[in-house]
Amino acid sequence: MDFDANIGYLRLAFWHIVLTAGPVLGVALAVGLFIGLIQAATSINEMTLSFVPKLVIVLGAMALMSGFMLTQMTDYFAYIFGEIVAIR
């Protein structure tokens, strides 16, 4: 195994991290931005007003995206374990 193969495995790992966590983090960012704009417009600075809706929506996004995330992780680990077996 050479240096280029290791870099390829790291690139693949980072790409799968982005594909797995990106949609949920994007939803959290969008909801946080929307609630922040509403709080700035109305001058309401209640901490629970920003936390509770974001928590509920992020958990809903995780529930909706769980099949996709599980498929991505399963495919990645199957590939990595196949590469480990191929080393021998």
Coordinates of all heavy atoms in Angstrom, one line a residue:
M1 N 0.9 -1.2 0.0 CA 0.0 0.0 0.0 C 0.9 1.2 0.0 O 1.8 1.4 0.8 CB -0.9 0.0 1.2 CG -1.8 1.2 1.3 SD -2.8 1.2 2.7 CE -3.7 -0.3 2.6
D2 N 0.7 2.1 -0.9 CA 1.5 3.3 -1.0 C 0.8 4.5 -0.5 O -0.3 4.5 -0.1 CB 2.0 3.5 -2.5 CG 0.8 3.6 -3.4 OD1 -0.3 3.3 -3.1 OD2 1.1 4.1 -4.6
F3 N 1.5 5.6 -0.5 CA 1.0 6.9 0.0 C -0.2 7.4 -0.8 O -1.2 7.9 -0.1 CB 2.1 7.9 0.0 CG 1.7 9.2 0.5 CD1 1.6 9.4 1.9 CD2 1.4 10.3 -0.3 CE1 1.2 10.6 2.5 CE2 1.1 11.5 0.3 CZ 1.0 11.7 1.7
D4 N -0.3 7.2 -2.1 CA -1.4 7.7 -2.9 C -2.7 6.9 -2.5 O -3.8 7.5 -2.5 CB -1.1 7.5 -4.3 CG 0.0 8.5 -4.8 OD1 0.1 9.5 -4.1 OD2 0.6 8.2 -5.8
A5 N -2.6 5.6 -2.2 CA -3.7 4.8 -1.8 C -4.3 5.3 -0.5 O -5.5 5.4 -0.3 CB -3.4 3.3 -1.7
N6 N -3.4 5.7 0.4 CA -3.8 6.2 1.7 C -4.6 7.5 1.6 O -5.6 7.7 2.2 CB -2.7 6.3 2.7 CG -2.1 5.0 3.2 OD1 -2.8 4.0 3.2 ND2 -0.8 5.0 3.5
I7 N -4.1 8.3 0.7 CA -4.7 9.6 0.5 C -6.1 9.4 -0.2 O -7.1 10.1 0.2 CB -3.8 10.5 -0.4 CG1 -2.5 10.9 0.3 CG2 -4.6 11.8 -0.9 CD1 -2.7 11.7 1.5
G8 N -6.2 8.4 -1.1 CA -7.5 8.1 -1.7 C -8.5 7.6 -0.7 O -9.6 8.0 -0.7
Y9 N -8.0 6.8 0.3 CA -8.9 6.3 1.4 C -9.4 7.4 2.3 O -10.5 7.5 2.7 CB -8.2 5.2 2.2 CG -8.0 4.0 1.4 CD1 -6.8 3.2 1.7 CD2 -8.9 3.5 0.5 CE1 -6.5 2.1 1.0 CE2 -8.6 2.3 -0.2 CZ -7.4 1.6 0.0 OH -7.2 0.5 -0.6
L10 N -8.5 8.4 2.6 CA -8.9 9.5 3.4 C -9.8 10.4 2.6 O -10.8 10.9 3.2 CB -7.6 10.3 3.8 CG -6.8 9.7 4.9 CD1 -5.5 10.5 5.1 CD2 -7.6 9.7 6.2
R11 N -9.6 10.6 1.4 CA -10.5 11.4 0.5 C -11.9 10.8 0.5 O -12.9 11.5 0.7 CB -10.0 11.6 -0.9 CG -10.8 12.5 -1.7 CD -10.3 12.7 -3.1 NE -9.0 13.3 -3.1 CZ -7.9 12.9 -3.7 NH1 -7.9 11.8 -4.4 NH2 -6.7 13.6 -3.6
L12 N -11.9 9.5 0.4 CA -13.2 8.8 0.3 C -13.9 8.9 1.7 O -15.1 9.1 1.8 CB -13.0 7.3 0.0 CG -14.3 6.5 -0.2 CD1 -15.1 7.0 -1.3 CD2 -13.8 5.0 -0.4
A13 N -13.1 8.8 2.8 CA -13.7 8.9 4.1 C -14.3 10.3 4.4 O -15.4 10.4 4.9 CB -12.7 8.6 5.2
F14 N -13.6 11.3 4.0 CA -14.1 12.7 4.2 C -15.3 12.9 3.3 O -16.2 13.6 3.8 CB -13.0 13.7 3.9 CG -11.9 13.8 4.9 CD1 -10.6 13.9 4.5 CD2 -12.3 13.8 6.3 CE1 -9.6 14.0 5.5 CE2 -11.3 13.9 7.2 CZ -9.9 14.0 6.9
W15 N -15.3 12.4 2.1 CA -16.5 12.6 1.2 C -17.7 11.9 1.8 O -18.8 12.5 1.8 CB -16.2 12.0 -0.1 CG -17.3 12.1 -1.1 CD1 -18.0 11.1 -1.7 CD2 -17.9 13.3 -1.6 NE1 -19.0 11.6 -2.5 CE2 -19.0 13.0 -2.4 CE3 -17.7 14.7 -1.4 CZ2 -19.8 13.9 -3.1 CZ3 -18.5 15.6 -2.0 CH2 -19.5 15.2 -2.8
H16 N -17.5 10.7 2.4 CA -18.7 10.0 3.0 C -19.1 10.8 4.3 O -20.3 10.7 4.6 CB -18.3 8.6 3.3 CG -18.5 7.7 2.1 ND1 -19.8 7.3 1.7 CD2 -17.7 7.2 1.2 CE1 -19.6 6.5 0.6 NE2 -18.4 6.5 0.3
I17 N -18.2 11.4 5.0 CA -18.6 12.2 6.2 C -19.5 13.3 5.7 O -20.5 13.6 6.3 CB -17.4 12.7 7.0 CG1 -16.7 11.5 7.7 CG2 -17.7 13.8 7.9 CD1 -15.3 11.9 8.2
V18 N -19.1 14.0 4.7 CA -19.9 15.1 4.1 C -21.2 14.7 3.7 O -22.2 15.3 3.9 CB -19.1 15.9 3.0 CG1 -20.0 16.8 2.3 CG2 -17.9 16.6 3.6
L19 N -21.3 13.6 3.0 CA -22.5 13.0 2.5 C -23.5 12.6 3.6 O -24.7 12.7 3.5 CB -22.3 11.9 1.5 CG -21.9 12.2 0.1 CD1 -21.7 10.9 -0.7 CD2 -22.9 13.0 -0.6
T20 N -22.9 12.1 4.7 CA -23.7 11.6 5.8 C -24.2 12.7 6.7 O -25.4 12.7 7.0 CB -22.9 10.5 6.6 OG1 -22.5 9.5 5.7 CG2 -23.8 9.9 7.7
A21 N -23.3 13.6 7.1 CA -23.7 14.6 8.0 C -24.1 15.9 7.4 O -24.8 16.7 8.0 CB -22.5 14.9 8.9
G22 N -23.8 16.1 6.1 CA -24.1 17.4 5.5 C -25.6 17.7 5.4 O -25.9 18.9 5.8
P23 N -26.5 16.9 5.0 CA -27.9 17.3 5.0 C -28.5 17.7 6.3 O -29.2 18.7 6.4 CB -28.6 16.0 4.4 CG -27.6 15.3 3.7 CD -26.3 15.5 4.4
V24 N -28.1 16.9 7.4 CA -28.6 17.3 8.7 C -28.0 18.6 9.2 O -28.7 19.4 9.8 CB -28.4 16.1 9.7 CG1 -28.8 16.5 11.1 CG2 -29.1 14.9 9.3
L25 N -26.7 18.8 9.0 CA -26.1 20.1 9.4 C -26.7 21.2 8.5 O -26.8 22.3 9.1 CB -24.6 20.0 9.2 CG -23.9 19.0 10.2 CD1 -22.4 18.9 9.8 CD2 -24.1 19.5 11.6
G26 N -27.0 21.0 7.3 CA -27.6 22.0 6.5 C -28.9 22.4 7.0 O -29.3 23.6 7.0
V27 N -29.7 21.5 7.4 CA -31.1 21.7 7.9 C -30.9 22.5 9.2 O -31.6 23.5 9.5 CB -31.9 20.4 8.2 CG1 -33.1 20.7 9.0 CG2 -32.2 19.8 6.9
A28 N -30.0 22.1 10.1 CA -29.7 22.9 11.4 C -29.3 24.3 11.1 O -29.7 25.2 11.8 CB -28.7 22.1 12.2
L29 N -28.4 24.5 10.1 CA -28.0 25.8 9.7 C -29.2 26.7 9.2 O -29.3 27.8 9.6 CB -26.9 25.7 8.7 CG -26.4 27.1 8.1 CD1 -25.6 27.8 9.2 CD2 -25.5 26.8 6.9
A30 N -30.0 26.1 8.4 CA -31.1 26.9 7.8 C -32.1 27.3 8.9 O -32.6 28.4 8.9 CB -31.8 26.1 6.7
V31 N -32.4 26.3 9.8 CA -33.4 26.6 10.8 C -32.8 27.6 11.8 O -33.5 28.5 12.2 CB -33.8 25.3 11.6 CG1 -34.6 25.6 12.8 CG2 -34.5 24.4 10.6
G32 N -31.5 27.5 12.1 CA -30.9 28.5 13.0 C -30.9 29.8 12.4 O -31.1 30.8 13.1
L33 N -30.6 29.9 11.2 CA -30.6 31.2 10.5 C -32.0 31.8 10.5 O -32.2 33.0 10.7 CB -30.0 31.1 9.1 CG -29.9 32.4 8.2 CD1 -28.9 33.3 8.9 CD2 -29.5 32.0 6.8
F34 N -33.0 31.0 10.1 CA -34.4 31.5 10.1 C -34.8 32.0 11.5 O -35.4 33.1 11.6 CB -35.3 30.4 9.6 CG -36.7 30.8 9.5 CD1 -37.1 31.7 8.5 CD2 -37.6 30.3 10.4 CE1 -38.5 32.1 8.4 CE2 -39.0 30.7 10.3 CZ -39.4 31.6 9.3
I35 N -34.6 31.2 12.5 CA -35.0 31.6 13.8 C -34.2 32.9 14.3 O -34.7 33.7 14.9 CB -34.8 30.4 14.8 CG1 -35.9 29.4 14.5 CG2 -35.0 30.9 16.2 CD1 -35.8 28.1 15.2
G36 N -32.9 32.9 13.9 CA -32.1 34.1 14.3 C -32.7 35.4 13.6 O -32.7 36.4 14.3
L37 N -33.1 35.3 12.4 CA -33.7 36.4 11.7 C -35.0 36.8 12.4 O -35.2 38.1 12.5 CB -33.9 36.1 10.2 CG -32.7 36.0 9.3 CD1 -33.1 35.6 8.0 CD2 -32.0 37.4 9.3
I38 N -35.8 35.9 12.7 CA -37.0 36.2 13.4 C -36.8 36.9 14.8 O -37.4 37.8 15.2 CB -37.9 35.0 13.6 CG1 -38.5 34.6 12.2 CG2 -39.1 35.2 14.5 CD1 -39.3 33.3 12.2
Q39 N -35.8 36.3 15.5 CA -35.5 36.9 16.8 C -34.9 38.3 16.7 O -35.2 39.2 17.5 CB -34.5 36.0 17.5 CG -35.1 34.8 18.2 CD -34.1 34.0 18.9 OE1 -32.9 34.0 18.6 NE2 -34.5 33.2 19.9
A40 N -34.1 38.5 15.6 CA -33.6 39.9 15.4 C -34.6 40.9 15.0 O -34.6 42.0 15.4 CB -32.5 39.8 14.4
A41 N -35.6 40.4 14.3 CA -36.7 41.3 13.8 C -37.6 41.6 14.9 O -38.2 42.7 14.9 CB -37.4 40.6 12.6
T42 N -37.9 40.7 15.8 CA -38.8 40.9 16.9 C -38.2 41.3 18.2 O -38.9 41.6 19.2 CB -39.7 39.7 17.1 OG1 -38.9 38.6 17.5 CG2 -40.5 39.4 15.9
S43 N -36.9 41.3 18.3 CA -36.1 41.6 19.6 C -36.5 40.6 20.7 O -36.5 41.0 21.9 CB -36.4 43.0 20.0 OG -35.9 43.9 19.0
I44 N -36.9 39.4 20.4 CA -37.1 38.4 21.4 C -35.9 37.5 21.5 O -35.5 36.9 20.5 CB -38.3 37.5 21.0 CG1 -39.6 38.3 20.9 CG2 -38.5 36.4 22.0 CD1 -40.8 37.6 20.4
N45 N -35.2 37.5 22.6 CA -34.0 36.8 22.8 C -34.1 35.6 23.8 O -33.4 35.5 24.7 CB -32.9 37.7 23.2 CG -32.5 38.7 22.1 OD1 -32.5 38.3 21.0 ND2 -32.1 39.9 22.5
E46 N -35.1 34.8 23.6 CA -35.4 33.7 24.5 C -34.6 32.5 23.9 O -34.7 32.1 22.7 CB -36.9 33.4 24.5 CG -37.3 32.2 25.4 CD -37.0 32.5 26.8 OE1 -37.1 33.6 27.2 OE2 -36.7 31.5 27.5
M47 N -33.8 31.9 24.8 CA -32.9 30.8 24.4 C -33.7 29.5 23.9 O -33.4 28.8 23.0 CB -31.9 30.4 25.5 CG -30.9 31.5 25.7 SD -29.9 31.9 24.3 CE -29.0 30.4 24.1
T48 N -34.8 29.3 24.7 CA -35.6 28.1 24.3 C -36.3 28.2 23.0 O -36.6 27.3 22.3 CB -36.6 27.8 25.4 OG1 -37.5 28.9 25.6 CG2 -36.0 27.4 26.7
L49 N -36.6 29.5 22.6 CA -37.2 29.7 21.3 C -36.3 29.3 20.1 O -36.8 28.9 19.1 CB -37.6 31.2 21.2 CG -38.3 31.6 19.9 CD1 -39.7 30.9 19.9 CD2 -38.5 33.1 19.8
S50 N -35.0 29.4 20.3 CA -34.1 28.9 19.3 C -33.7 27.5 19.4 O -33.5 26.8 18.4 CB -32.8 29.8 19.3 OG -32.1 29.6 20.4
F51 N -33.7 26.9 20.6 CA -33.3 25.6 20.8 C -34.3 24.5 20.5 O -34.0 23.6 19.8 CB -32.8 25.4 22.3 CG -32.3 24.0 22.6 CD1 -31.1 23.6 22.0 CD2 -33.0 23.1 23.3 CE1 -30.6 22.3 22.3 CE2 -32.6 21.9 23.6 CZ -31.4 21.4 23.1
V52 N -35.5 24.7 21.0 CA -36.5 23.7 20.9 C -36.9 23.4 19.4 O -37.0 22.3 19.0 CB -37.7 24.0 21.8 CG1 -38.9 23.0 21.5 CG2 -37.3 23.9 23.2
P53 N -37.3 24.5 18.6 CA -37.6 24.2 17.2 C -36.5 23.5 16.4 O -36.7 22.7 15.6 CB -38.0 25.5 16.6 CG -38.3 26.4 17.8 CD -37.4 25.9 18.9
K54 N -35.3 24.0 16.7 CA -34.1 23.4 16.0 C -33.9 22.0 16.4 O -33.7 21.1 15.5 CB -32.8 24.2 16.3 CG -31.7 23.8 15.4 CD -30.4 24.5 15.8 CE -30.4 26.0 15.8 NZ -29.1 26.6 16.1
L55 N -34.1 21.6 17.6 CA -34.0 20.3 18.1 C -35.0 19.4 17.4 O -34.7 18.3 16.9 CB -34.1 20.2 19.6 CG -34.1 18.8 20.2 CD1 -32.7 18.2 20.0 CD2 -34.5 18.8 21.6
V56 N -36.3 19.8 17.4 CA -37.4 19.1 16.8 C -37.1 18.9 15.3 O -37.3 17.8 14.8 CB -38.7 19.7 17.1 CG1 -39.8 19.1 16.3 CG2 -39.0 19.7 18.6
I57 N -36.8 19.9 14.6 CA -36.6 19.8 13.1 C -35.4 19.0 12.8 O -35.4 18.2 11.8 CB -36.6 21.3 12.5 CG1 -37.9 21.9 12.7 CG2 -36.2 21.2 11.1 CD1 -38.0 23.3 12.3
V58 N -34.3 19.1 13.5 CA -33.1 18.3 13.3 C -33.4 16.9 13.5 O -32.9 16.0 12.8 CB -31.9 18.9 14.1 CG1 -30.8 17.9 14.0 CG2 -31.4 20.2 13.5
L59 N -34.1 16.6 14.6 CA -34.4 15.2 14.8 C -35.3 14.6 13.7 O -35.2 13.5 13.3 CB -35.1 15.0 16.2 CG -34.2 15.1 17.4 CD1 -35.0 15.1 18.7 CD2 -33.1 14.1 17.4
G60 N -36.3 15.4 13.3 CA -37.1 15.0 12.1 C -36.3 14.8 10.9 O -36.5 13.8 10.1
A61 N -35.3 15.7 10.6 CA -34.5 15.5 9.4 C -33.6 14.2 9.6 O -33.4 13.5 8.6 CB -33.6 16.7 9.3
M62 N -33.1 14.0 10.8 CA -32.4 12.7 11.0 C -33.2 11.5 10.8 O -32.8 10.5 10.2 CB -31.8 12.7 12.4 CG -30.6 13.6 12.5 SD -29.9 13.6 14.2 CE -29.1 12.0 14.2
A63 N -34.5 11.6 11.2 CA -35.4 10.5 11.0 C -35.7 10.2 9.5 O -35.7 9.1 9.0 CB -36.7 10.7 11.7
L64 N -35.9 11.4 8.8 CA -36.2 11.2 7.3 C -34.9 10.8 6.5 O -35.1 10.1 5.6 CB -36.6 12.6 6.8 CG -38.0 13.0 7.2 CD1 -38.3 14.4 6.7 CD2 -39.1 12.0 6.7
M65 N -33.8 11.2 7.0 CA -32.5 10.9 6.2 C -31.8 9.6 6.7 O -30.8 9.3 6.2 CB -31.5 12.1 6.3 CG -32.0 13.4 5.7 SD -32.2 13.2 4.0 CE -30.5 13.1 3.5
S66 N -32.4 9.0 7.7 CA -31.7 7.8 8.4 C -31.5 6.7 7.4 O -30.4 6.1 7.4 CB -32.5 7.3 9.6 OG -33.8 6.8 9.2
G67 N -32.4 6.4 6.5 CA -32.2 5.4 5.5 C -31.0 5.7 4.6 O -30.1 4.8 4.3
F68 N -30.9 6.9 4.1 CA -29.8 7.3 3.2 C -28.5 7.3 4.0 O -27.5 6.8 3.4 CB -30.1 8.8 2.7 CG -29.0 9.4 2.0 CD1 -28.7 9.0 0.7 CD2 -28.2 10.4 2.6 CE1 -27.6 9.5 0.0 CE2 -27.2 10.9 1.9 CZ -26.9 10.5 0.6
M69 N -28.5 7.8 5.2 CA -27.3 7.8 6.0 C -26.8 6.4 6.3 O -25.6 6.1 6.2 CB -27.5 8.6 7.3 CG -27.7 10.1 7.0 SD -28.4 11.0 8.4 CE -27.5 10.5 9.8
L70 N -27.7 5.5 6.6 CA -27.3 4.1 6.9 C -26.8 3.5 5.6 O -25.8 2.7 5.7 CB -28.5 3.4 7.4 CG -28.2 1.9 7.9 CD1 -27.2 1.9 9.0 CD2 -29.5 1.3 8.3
T71 N -27.4 3.7 4.5 CA -26.9 3.2 3.2 C -25.5 3.7 2.9 O -24.6 2.9 2.5 CB -27.9 3.5 2.1 OG1 -29.1 3.0 2.4 CG2 -27.4 2.9 0.8
Q72 N -25.3 5.0 3.1 CA -23.9 5.5 2.8 C -22.9 4.9 3.7 O -21.8 4.5 3.3 CB -24.0 7.1 3.0 CG -24.7 7.8 2.0 CD -24.0 7.7 0.7 OE1 -22.8 7.8 0.6 NE2 -24.8 7.6 -0.4
M73 N -23.2 4.8 5.0 CA -22.2 4.2 5.9 C -22.0 2.7 5.7 O -20.8 2.2 5.7 CB -22.6 4.5 7.4 CG -22.5 5.9 7.8 SD -22.8 6.2 9.5 CE -24.4 5.6 9.8
T74 N -23.0 2.0 5.4 CA -22.9 0.6 5.1 C -22.1 0.3 3.8 O -21.2 -0.5 3.8 CB -24.3 0.0 4.9 OG1 -25.0 0.2 6.1 CG2 -24.2 -1.5 4.7
D75 N -22.3 1.1 2.8 CA -21.5 1.0 1.6 C -20.0 1.3 1.8 O -19.1 0.6 1.3 CB -22.1 1.9 0.5 CG -23.4 1.4 -0.1 OD1 -23.8 0.3 0.2 OD2 -24.1 2.2 -0.7
Y76 N -19.8 2.4 2.6 CA -18.4 2.7 2.9 C -17.7 1.6 3.7 O -16.6 1.3 3.3 CB -18.4 4.1 3.6 CG -17.0 4.4 4.1 CD1 -16.0 4.8 3.2 CD2 -16.6 4.4 5.4 CE1 -14.7 5.1 3.6 CE2 -15.4 4.7 5.9 CZ -14.4 5.1 4.9 OH -13.2 5.4 5.4
F77 N -18.3 1.1 4.7 CA -17.7 0.1 5.5 C -17.5 -1.2 4.8 O -16.5 -1.9 5.0 CB -18.4 -0.1 6.8 CG -18.2 1.0 7.8 CD1 -19.2 1.8 8.3 CD2 -16.9 1.3 8.3 CE1 -19.0 2.8 9.2 CE2 -16.6 2.3 9.2 CZ -17.7 3.1 9.6
A78 N -18.4 -1.5 3.9 CA -18.3 -2.7 3.1 C -17.1 -2.6 2.2 O -16.3 -3.5 2.0 CB -19.5 -3.0 2.3
Y79 N -16.9 -1.4 1.6 CA -15.8 -1.1 0.7 C -14.5 -1.2 1.5 O -13.5 -1.8 1.0 CB -15.9 0.2 0.0 CG -14.7 0.6 -0.7 CD1 -14.4 0.1 -2.0 CD2 -13.8 1.6 -0.3 CE1 -13.3 0.4 -2.7 CE2 -12.7 2.0 -1.0 CZ -12.4 1.4 -2.2 OH -11.3 1.7 -2.9
I80 N -14.4 -0.6 2.7 CA -13.2 -0.5 3.5 C -12.8 -1.9 3.9 O -11.7 -2.3 3.9 CB -13.3 0.4 4.6 CG1 -13.3 1.9 4.1 CG2 -12.2 0.3 5.7 CD1 -12.1 2.3 3.4
F81 N -13.8 -2.7 4.4 CA -13.5 -4.1 4.9 C -13.1 -4.9 3.7 O -12.3 -5.8 3.8 CB -14.7 -4.7 5.6 CG -14.9 -4.0 7.0 CD1 -16.2 -3.9 7.4 CD2 -13.9 -3.6 7.8 CE1 -16.4 -3.3 8.7 CE2 -14.1 -3.1 9.0 CZ -15.3 -2.9 9.4
G82 N -13.7 -4.7 2.5 CA -13.2 -5.4 1.3 C -11.8 -5.1 1.0 O -11.0 -6.0 0.5
E83 N -11.4 -3.8 1.1 CA -10.0 -3.4 0.9 C -9.1 -4.0 1.9 O -7.9 -4.4 1.6 CB -9.9 -1.9 0.9 CG -10.5 -1.2 -0.3 CD -9.9 -1.6 -1.6 OE1 -8.6 -1.5 -1.7 OE2 -10.6 -1.9 -2.6
I84 N -9.5 -4.1 3.1 CA -8.7 -4.8 4.2 C -8.4 -6.2 3.9 O -7.3 -6.8 4.0 CB -9.3 -4.6 5.6 CG1 -9.2 -3.1 6.0 CG2 -8.6 -5.5 6.6 CD1 -10.0 -2.8 7.2
V85 N -9.5 -6.9 3.4 CA -9.3 -8.3 3.1 C -8.4 -8.5 1.9 O -7.6 -9.4 1.8 CB -10.7 -8.9 2.8 CG1 -10.6 -10.3 2.2 CG2 -11.5 -9.0 4.1
A86 N -8.5 -7.5 0.9 CA -7.7 -7.6 -0.3 C -6.2 -7.4 0.0 O -5.3 -7.8 -0.8 CB -8.2 -6.6 -1.3
I87 N -5.8 -6.8 1.1 CA -4.4 -6.6 1.4 C -3.7 -7.9 1.6 O -2.5 -8.0 1.2 CB -4.3 -5.7 2.7 CG1 -4.7 -4.3 2.3 CG2 -2.9 -5.6 3.2 CD1 -4.8 -3.4 3.5
R88 N -4.3 -8.9 2.2 CA -3.6 -10.1 2.5 C -3.4 -10.9 1.3 O -3.3 -11.3 0.4 CB -4.5 -11.0 3.5 CG -4.6 -10.3 4.8 CD -5.2 -11.2 5.8 NE -4.1 -11.5 6.6 CZ -4.1 -12.5 7.5 NH1 -5.2 -13.3 7.5 NH2 -3.1 -12.8 8.2

